[in-house]
């Protein structure tokens, strides 16, 4: 295999010719070749080059130049590499500009972005139709998808375990306006054609969802081979165990590339308000009718949103979740602003003792 089976298209080929010439002129004529990062194992990554798979790692110069960890090479990235010889690890010198980036707020107290995948075209939001089905969680995944610049598709898996499929579909469609909602059962081979409609040549499709939702099973099902390990979920609460431990791309013969990701117990949002506006478009549209422009929809006079809830036009639980998302993102924004102030003060102090920004500009791409 080569990068052609991993999404290399006329778009990337044309972009590469111009970008490569500019980069090599700035990088002292370092002769680079294109590759795609297809799996991340921590210290090393797996790459697909024109000549097949190679292990690789970022060069010391690249690691030193990157300040934000989210800018480090990630699964899905197209990168510029050198191959010292036929057996040594490839060296990553630069990351090509990304078409899209799927991110979340990293775990812990520090406000920072955790990159999940890049250059994804379509994101399958997998939600199992068992006891783990959760509309409020689905709203969170929709926010992440819209904010990432990808096309979301809601995939309701394990329909063979549900006796209320139509009701669940109605709930999903109620919070995912305009988003395709597909019901599948890998066990009964149902819904495959609907999924394959999104697996067009050159496209990258990622799967995300909670542990036990069936992402790895879907990858095996669509691949026609056992390329991912799967595990049963606990019957009493339908909770799954982490089966996928790293992100990895899988090519589908003559079609798209699938990207499987580890299950998420909790999705902390990394959002610029775009995702919330798109996910809760019905509420934001209704909010335009509120008497006050800064209405918080919590008891203010003339609140159109609360009036719509009383009339049954909006779900109270959905509005409550909207408020919760707003509070969470406002808190994140404040923390991010505080972090930037600290970083600016630190940069100012460092510049007084020696400024490296001129050197960094030479290696940026």
């Amino acid at each position: 295999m080569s990068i052609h089976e991993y999404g290399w298209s006329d778009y990337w080929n044309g972009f590469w010719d111009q970008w490569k010439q500019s980069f090599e002129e700035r990088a002292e004529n370092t002769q680079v070749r294109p590759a795609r990062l297809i799996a991340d194992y921590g210290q090393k990554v797996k790459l697909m080059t024109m000549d097949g798979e190679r292990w690789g790692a970022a060069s010391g110069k690249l690691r030193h130049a990157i300040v934000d960890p989210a800018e480090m090479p990630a699964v899905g990235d197209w990168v510029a590499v050198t191959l010292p010889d036929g057996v040594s690890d490839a060296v990553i010198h630069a990351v090509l500009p990304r078409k899209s980036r799927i991110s979340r707020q990293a775990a812990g107290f520090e406000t920072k972005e955790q990159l999940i995948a890049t250059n994804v075209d379509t994101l399958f939001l997998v939600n199992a139709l068992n006891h783990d089905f959760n509309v409020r969680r689905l709203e969170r995944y929709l926010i992440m998808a819209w904010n990432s610049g990808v096309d979301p598709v809601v995939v309701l898996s394990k329909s063979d375990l549900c006796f209320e499929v139509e009701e669940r579909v109605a709930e999903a469609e109620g919070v995912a306006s305009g988003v395709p909602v597909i019901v599948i059962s890998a066990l009964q081979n149902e819904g495959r054609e609907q999924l394959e409609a999104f697996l067009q040549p050159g496209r990258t499709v990622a799967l995300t969802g909670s542990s036990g939702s069936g992402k790895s099973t879907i990858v095996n099902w669509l691949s026609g081979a056992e390329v991912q390990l799967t595990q049963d979920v606990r019957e009493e609460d339908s909770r799954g165990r982490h089966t996928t431990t790293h992100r990895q791309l899988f090519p589908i013969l003559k079609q798209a590339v699938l990207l499987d990701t580890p299950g998420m117990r909790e999705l902390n949002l990394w959002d610029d308000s775009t995702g919330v506006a798109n996910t809760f478009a019905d509420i934001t549209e209704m909010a335009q009718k509120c008497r006050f422009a800064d209405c918080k929809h919590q008891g203010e006079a003339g609140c159109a949103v609360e009036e719509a809830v009383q009339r049954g036009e909006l779900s109270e639980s959905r509005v409550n979740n909207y408020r919760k998302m707003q509070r969470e993102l406002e808190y994140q924004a404040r923390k991010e602003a505080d972090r930037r102030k600290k970083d600016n003060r630190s940069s100012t102090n460092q510049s007084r003792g020696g400024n490296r920004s001129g050197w960094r500009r030479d290696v940026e791409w």
Side-chain angles (χ1 to χ4, degrees):
M1 283 191 172
S2 72
I3 58 176
H4 297 286
E5 286 77 34
Y6 278 85
W8 188 254
S9 62
D10 291 340
Y11 167 84
W12 288 109
N13 194 52
F15 180 82
W16 171 259
D17 289 339
Q18 299 179 12
W19 183 90
K20 174 177 179 289
Q21 181 178 357
S22 175
F23 174 81
E24 290 182 347
E25 289 174 355
R26 299 195 311 272
E28 301 177 352
N29 294 318
T30 300
Q31 300 296 311
V32 291
R33 305 175 66 183
R36 192 168 200 187
L37 201 158
I38 63 174
D40 188 349
Y41 296 93
Q43 293 297 320
K44 286 189 178 183
V45 298
K46 187 172 287 186
L47 302 166
M48 181 57 66
T49 72
M50 287 287 191
D51 303 317
E53 287 188 7
R54 294 286 287 269
W55 289 101
S59 68
K61 189 174 184 180
L62 176 60
R63 290 195 301 269
H64 188 69
I66 292 178
V67 176
D68 186 350
E71 299 303 322
M72 284 293 290
V75 175
D77 273 333
W78 292 102
V79 296
V81 303
T82 53
L83 306 175
D85 52 53
V87 294
S88 299
D89 291 350
V91 179
I92 302 173
H93 296 275
V95 179
L96 273 66
R98 295 158 172 166
K99 291 176 63 178
S100 64
R101 53 193 294 155
I102 302 173
S103 304
R104 69 171 179 174
Q105 161 66 31
F109 296 103
E110 185 178 358
T111 300
K112 62 179 180 180
E113 178 184 9
Q114 180 184 4
L115 197 61
I116 297 173
T118 67
N119 296 319
V120 171
D121 300 295
T122 302
L123 183 61
F124 286 170
L125 310 178
V126 185
N127 202 321
L129 289 171
N130 52 21
H131 299 303
D132 199 41
F133 180 79
N134 189 310
V135 174
R136 303 284 80 86
R137 185 195 301 133
L138 177 57
E139 288 174 336
R140 281 181 169 268
Y141 280 104
L142 283 164
I143 292 172
M144 180 180 71
W146 287 125
N147 193 57
S148 301
V150 301
D151 297 325
V153 175
V154 177
V155 179
L156 302 180
S157 62
K158 304 185 180 181
S159 62
D160 51 286
L161 300 179
C162 181
F163 296 102
E164 302 171 333
V165 174
E166 292 184 2
E167 290 85 345
R168 294 287 186 256
V169 170
E171 290 182 65
E173 291 177 340
V175 301
S177 178
V179 176
V181 177
I182 300 174
V183 177
I184 69 167
S185 170
L187 182 64
Q188 298 180 345
N189 200 35
E190 295 178 353
R192 183 178 182 126
E193 291 183 0
Q194 289 93 320
L195 291 184
E196 289 181 339
F198 297 95
L199 303 179
Q200 300 300 317
R203 306 280 289 180
T204 298
V205 178
L207 298 92
T208 189
S210 60
S211 299
S213 60
K215 300 184 303 299
S216 296
T217 297
I218 294 173
V219 171
N220 293 338
W221 185 38
L222 295 175
S223 301
E226 296 295 318
V227 295
Q228 282 288 69
L229 177 67
T230 61
Q231 296 187 73
D232 293 331
V233 299
R234 296 197 303 257
E235 293 184 4
E236 63 271 19
D237 59 5
S238 299
R239 298 299 295 273
R241 292 169 289 176
H242 289 293
T243 303
T244 301
T245 57
H246 63 279
R247 300 170 184 88
Q248 184 169 352
L249 287 169
F250 298 94
I252 304 297
L253 186 61
K254 297 182 180 180
Q255 295 188 63
V257 183
L258 287 177
L259 196 163
D260 195 10
T261 63
M264 299 183 193
R265 291 293 191 197
E266 182 178 3
L267 175 58
N268 295 316
L269 297 175
W270 182 268
D271 186 69
D272 62 3
S273 78
T274 301
V276 170
N278 286 333
T279 301
F280 295 97
D282 52 343
I283 298 177
T284 55
E285 182 178 351
M286 184 63 68
Q288 299 300 314
K289 302 177 183 178
C290 290
R291 180 181 301 177
F292 303 107
D294 60 349
C295 183
K296 298 296 184 182
H297 322 304
Q298 293 180 313
E300 294 91 340
C303 176
V305 171
E306 291 192 330
E307 292 173 0
V309 171
Q310 294 172 4
R311 293 192 302 267
E313 297 175 8
L314 290 175
S315 163
E316 183 175 6
S317 60
R318 178 166 166 79
V319 172
N320 287 338
N321 201 39
Y322 169 74
R323 295 187 185 117
K324 180 181 179 182
M325 298 298 99
Q326 292 283 54
R327 291 194 299 270
E328 182 177 325
L329 294 175
E330 288 170 1
Y331 175 68
Q332 176 186 305
R334 291 195 299 269
K335 288 179 63 179
E336 178 67 7
D338 291 342
R339 185 187 66 82
R340 288 178 178 176
K341 288 180 181 179
K342 292 179 181 178
D343 289 347
N344 289 336
R345 287 197 296 267
S346 177
S347 297
T348 300
N349 293 335
Q350 288 182 3
S351 65
R352 292 170 181 169
N355 190 351
R356 298 183 305 172
S357 61
W359 179 84
R360 288 194 66 248
R361 279 195 295 270
D362 291 339
V363 298
E364 285 178 351
W365 50 90

